[in-house]
Amino acid sequence: SSGINAEWPLRPGDFNFGNEDSSSDDEQPTKKQKTTDDLSDVEEKEGETFEDFDNRRWNKRTQTVLNKLRRDLDAKGQVNFFSFAENNNRKQAASKFYSILLLKKSETINVTQSEPFSDIIVHAGPKYHES
């Protein structure tokens, strides 16, 4: 089945996005592979607000991206985003992109892009050595 009940009008319950157990007996569940980019092990501390937790989680993720960028920036002087996110899935690439935006906002890095949808080139920013 396609997971969509085609009768009109559609209702939220008409969609199956894999949250329900719709697998056949011969399908084996896939095990999620943990990568160095997966920071899902960051847990909320007792008494911590969601906003504090989210900031701490993003700070950790952004620091991880900065450390990886530093390695390449110090060696080559620039980083191409397409290469930087080459072996990542969409979620990991989006996370890296968001971290790059945060680093750009803090002036830790500078980014250039010659035209829409082209590669993004990352360079050290004015506050690169302060971070």
Side-chain angles (χ1 to χ4, degrees):
S1 93
S2 67
I4 298 176
N5 179 350
E7 293 180 31
W8 190 260
L10 296 176
R11 297 173 305 280
D14 292 339
F15 297 92
N16 176 5
F17 294 106
N19 296 334
E20 300 170 16
D21 185 18
S22 60
S23 59
S24 64
D25 293 336
D26 59 338
E27 291 180 25
Q28 294 295 319
T30 59
K31 185 176 179 181
K32 181 180 175 186
Q33 292 182 332
K34 187 161 179 87
T35 67
T36 57
D37 291 332
D38 181 12
L39 296 177
S40 59
D41 61 337
V42 177
E43 295 181 12
E44 192 170 339
K45 295 178 180 176
E46 190 172 331
E48 181 176 45
T49 66
F50 177 77
E51 184 177 342
D52 290 339
F53 165 71
D54 202 41
N55 286 337
R56 185 171 53 84
R57 180 182 59 147
W58 283 115
N59 287 340
K60 184 174 180 182
R61 184 168 289 149
T62 302
Q63 187 62 49
T64 300
V65 168
L66 177 59
N67 291 340
K68 290 177 182 181
L69 284 171
R70 275 189 199 283
R71 185 180 58 229
D72 292 342
L73 286 172
D74 291 344
K76 302 178 209 168
Q78 73 178 32
V79 175
N80 297 32
F81 181 74
F82 288 170
S83 297
F84 187 65
E86 184 176 36
N87 294 319
N88 296 139
N89 63 35
R90 282 185 180 194
K91 183 177 179 181
Q92 293 165 333
S95 175
K96 283 183 175 181
F97 179 75
Y98 181 74
S99 293
I100 284 175
L101 293 177
L102 294 176
L103 292 167
K104 167 62 178 150
K105 183 179 177 183
S106 68
E107 299 183 344
T108 303
I109 60 172
N110 283 326
V111 296
T112 57
Q113 186 178 32
S114 61
E115 60 186 47
F117 305 106
S118 67
D119 203 357
I120 298 167
I121 310 301
V122 179
H123 299 275
K127 298 183 180 179
Y128 178 75
H129 296 289
E130 296 175 22
S131 300

